[in-house]
Amino acid sequence: MGDSDDAPPAAHRRPPRPVRGSGGAVEGFAAALRRRLKSGASAAARASFAPDSGDESAAGEPSSSSSRRSDTSGDASSAGGGRGGGGGGAGAGALDFSAFTFRAAAPVHRKAKECPLSSDAIFKQSHAGLFNLCIVVLVAVNSRLIIENLMKYGLLIRSGFWFNATSLRDWPLLMCCLSLPAFPLGAFAVEKLAFRNLITNAAATSLHIFLTTAEIVYPVLVILMCDSAVVSGFVLMFIACIVWLKLVSFAHANHDMRKLITSGKKVDDELSTAGIDNLQPPTLGSLIYFMMAPTLCYQPSYPRTTHIRKGWLIRQIILYLIFTGLQGFIIEQYINPIVVNSQHPLKGGLLNAVETVLKLSLPNVYLWLCMFYCFFHLWLNILAEILRFGDREFYKDWWNAKTIDEYWRKWNMPVHKWIVRHVYFPCMRNGISKEVAVFISFFVSAVLHELCVAVPCRILKFWAFLGIMLQIPLIILTSYLKNKFRDTMVGNMIFWFFFCIYGQPMCVLLYYHDVMNRIEKTK
């Protein structure tokens, strides 16, 4: 004990040097050093040189607490070596080499590592700091653009932006919209007759085809016959297309239920007990709930929440009003001046068209993102909360899509589920190949997009139709790039470029100038 108490502090102790001329001592020193570096005593020191170490200062200068722990362990090992060690190699094996890791002779480069911004490592780490930098830059740049726009044009929001005297001319469209519920009631009557075996399945199918066709043709005729605003016509066609999708789902689902009930065949194993309970005739209450619910796929019952969160609902409504006003501000203050002062992209010069599209792309992206947040997140959640609708997966992380196909499967889940349920898989079950089924799915979507835009504009140029159908070659291209570049975000960059920077601004310019040309010809 006396020797141990009189020993100098371990912080001032140096690793003993081998005696000159003693080859065995040198070899013992090296062997002991290798054993010591591999032992658990120096694990903490070696960890400071690990490739994933976040604190580089620890590699060059250990903390005081770790130094104390290492010094204490050094005292203990040194005391043990003094008691049990003899001489030569045996004594060297018990020496203290834990401080060697922090000395100049210690190896610093222990394994091959990639630069953080290299292609192999850039997506394996967080980029929160760069994301914050982008936000700061966007705020600074757009603040300057807002000030410059206000200084150049002034405040362009008109007092009659939401409602004015000319809006009274659109009352036929309002009456048409209020009369659309007659078609779901007709479909309900057809299903009641079919479930009671008063009409055949073929007759029920024919009546459903007639009702769905009349439901989509009726608002088209009203819009074309009345001198209504483009926005009013777009709202009516948007609602009419939603009702049409719901009617198709209602008829298709009930037709399948009748087949499962009357056929007497064993239900698929994939159908759960809850799914079997859904095999029942429709009721008026289930139809009304379905027509109001934020879904396009009919089923007799849906998952429900326990109660309505009133405070949360009020906050969502306030946000909805704010973002709706923000959309109007972007349209009136930014998009309208650019579009009015532009030329037709297919008739002007190439550089002029590119400059106009790029100028329009930024406010268009902001408008589109606000529309997405306002409709898919706020409005659909408001409806779901009021109706206590449980399944609120209205979208997925489409912003991370690496291919165009992945984007279309994530950004609009109600429409995606409807197409998969009522178009894609029915085609596959009837022996149609996967490629043709995908083509048919995009064709149906393209026709609906063209109806929503071309009918209110009263022109048939097929710009919206072509914009959707051209997604098919883009799907092939982005899928190839995803496989070519080993699942990186190249496809995501191409998606953002074609969809937001090039595609939508070009469609806005094309439709605007075609509408203006039509109005000038009519005058």
Side-chain angles (χ1 to χ4, degrees):
M1 291 295 292
D3 297 338
S4 177
D5 295 336
D6 295 336
H12 304 286
R13 182 172 299 173
R14 299 178 178 176
R17 294 175 295 178
V19 181
R20 293 182 180 178
S22 176
V26 174
E27 294 177 359
F29 176 83
L33 180 58
R34 285 194 294 269
R35 289 196 301 269
R36 195 64 179 173
L37 288 176
K38 294 180 181 179
S39 65
S42 59
R46 292 198 308 271
S48 63
F49 291 93
D52 295 331
S53 175
D55 187 8
E56 294 296 336
S57 62
E61 184 177 349
S63 63
S64 58
S65 59
S66 62
S67 299
R68 291 192 210 99
R69 287 194 296 269
S70 123
D71 292 341
T72 307
S73 62
D75 290 341
S77 62
S78 145
R83 292 291 182 186
L95 296 175
D96 179 24
F97 297 103
S98 61
F100 178 77
T101 307
F102 303 108
R103 297 185 67 88
V108 175
H109 306 285
R110 298 177 179 271
K111 62 181 296 184
K113 304 175 188 176
E114 289 291 339
C115 184
L117 293 180
S118 64
S119 58
D120 293 335
I122 190 171
F123 296 113
K124 297 179 181 178
Q125 56 186 316
S126 173
H127 298 87
L130 294 177
F131 178 74
N132 293 334
L133 174 62
C134 292
I135 292 178
V136 172
V137 172
L138 283 175
V139 170
V141 171
N142 287 280
S143 299
R144 183 192 65 81
L145 291 176
I146 291 173
I147 295 174
E148 180 182 351
N149 182 274
L150 292 174
M151 292 174 62
K152 184 177 182 180
Y153 299 105
L155 188 63
L156 298 178
I157 299 294
R158 303 185 302 270
S159 59
F161 175 73
W162 299 110
F163 183 81
N164 51 41
T166 58
S167 301
L168 297 176
R169 295 182 306 175
D170 297 335
W171 69 267
L173 275 66
L174 177 61
M175 294 298 102
C176 175
C177 185
L178 295 177
S179 61
L180 287 180
F183 295 96
L185 293 177
F188 175 74
V190 170
E191 285 302 319
K192 277 296 184 182
L193 295 175
F195 270 97
R196 293 176 181 175
N197 294 324
L198 298 178
I199 58 175
T200 62
N201 285 334
T205 301
S206 301
L207 289 173
H208 278 304
I209 293 175
F210 171 77
L211 286 172
T212 52
T213 304
E215 191 276 335
I216 203 68
V217 172
Y218 170 50
V220 171
L221 295 178
V222 172
I223 293 173
L224 295 179
M225 293 172 59
C226 300
D227 184 18
S228 59
V230 174
V231 176
S232 301
F234 173 77
V235 173
L236 176 59
M237 284 306 305
F238 182 72
I239 296 175
C241 287
I242 291 177
V243 175
W244 184 83
L245 293 172
K246 287 177 177 280
L247 285 178
V248 171
S249 179
F250 180 78
H252 195 183
N254 282 289
H255 174 76
D256 196 37
M257 290 177 190
R258 289 198 307 272
K259 287 179 60 177
L260 290 173
I261 293 173
T262 59
S263 63
K265 296 180 180 180
K266 185 178 179 181
V267 180
D268 296 341
D269 295 335
E270 297 179 358
L271 201 60
S272 62
T273 305
I276 296 175
D277 293 338
N278 272 330
L279 299 179
Q280 52 184 306
T283 62
L284 185 60
S286 64
L287 175 64
I288 294 175
Y289 185 88
F290 167 62
M291 297 305 297
M292 298 177 63
T295 180
L296 299 175
C297 296
Y298 172 78
Q299 58 191 63
S301 62
Y302 296 91
R304 306 284 295 274
T305 57
T306 57
H307 62 282
I308 298 176
R309 299 169 292 178
K310 297 180 180 179
W312 183 88
L313 181 61
I314 292 174
R315 290 193 298 271
Q316 298 299 104
I317 293 175
I318 294 174
L319 286 174
Y320 177 77
L321 296 176
I322 292 173
F323 276 89
T324 302
L326 181 60
Q327 292 180 73
F329 176 77
I330 294 174
I331 292 173
E332 288 293 301
Q333 194 71 31
Y334 293 96
I335 294 181
N336 273 353
I338 297 174
V339 173
V340 170
N341 297 325
S342 66
Q343 297 180 358
H344 197 288
L346 299 183
K347 296 179 181 179
L350 177 61
L351 292 179
N352 182 57
V354 171
E355 190 267 342
T356 305
V357 168
L358 292 177
K359 185 186 297 184
L360 188 61
S361 62
L362 188 61
N364 178 80
V365 169
Y366 290 157
L367 176 65
W368 186 71
L369 292 177
C370 286
M371 179 277 301
F372 166 79
Y373 182 75
C374 191
F375 181 76
F376 286 96
H377 184 76
L378 295 175
W379 176 248
L380 294 184
N381 270 293
I382 289 171
L383 282 181
E385 190 69 22
I386 294 174
L387 299 174
R388 292 170 45 217
F389 188 81
D391 186 4
R392 303 187 183 184
E393 190 184 46
F394 304 124
Y395 57 90
K396 294 183 179 179
D397 59 332
W398 55 266
W399 46 87
N400 292 326
K402 299 175 182 178
T403 63
I404 300 295
D405 178 49
E406 186 179 357
Y407 163 77
W408 285 109
R409 286 187 281 108
K410 287 185 174 182
W411 101 278
N412 189 343
M413 293 305 296
V415 172
H416 170 70
K417 293 176 181 177
W418 185 91
I419 289 180
V420 168
R421 188 192 198 197
H422 300 292
V423 178
Y424 181 76
F425 280 120
C427 290
M428 298 282 285
R429 283 194 294 269
N430 285 278
I432 298 176
S433 65
K434 179 181 178 181
E435 292 75 15
V436 177
V438 170
F439 178 85
I440 294 174
S441 300
F442 273 93
F443 181 83
V444 173
S445 177
V447 170
L448 293 176
H449 279 79
E450 183 67 24
L451 283 175
C452 286
V453 181
V455 173
C457 295
R458 297 181 182 85
I459 54 175
L460 194 63
K461 294 289 186 176
F462 293 102
W463 301 125
F465 180 85
L466 292 175
I468 299 299
M469 295 305 295
L470 288 176
Q471 303 296 312
I472 297 178
L474 287 179
I475 289 175
I476 299 174
L477 174 63
T478 52
S479 298
Y480 168 78
L481 292 175
K482 178 183 177 181
N483 299 327
K484 179 72 174 179
F485 293 97
R486 299 180 182 178
D487 202 22
T488 59
M489 300 298 287
V490 176
N492 182 262
M493 298 175 187
I494 293 177
F495 147 68
W496 280 114
F497 174 78
F498 279 102
F499 196 80
C500 294
I501 306 300
Y502 177 76
Q504 290 189 7
M506 181 64 72
C507 286
V508 170
L509 291 174
L510 290 171
Y511 273 106
Y512 172 79
H513 287 285
D514 287 337
V515 170
M516 291 297 103
N517 293 335
R518 179 186 62 81
I519 293 176
E520 290 178 1
K521 289 180 180 179
T522 55
K523 290 181 179 180

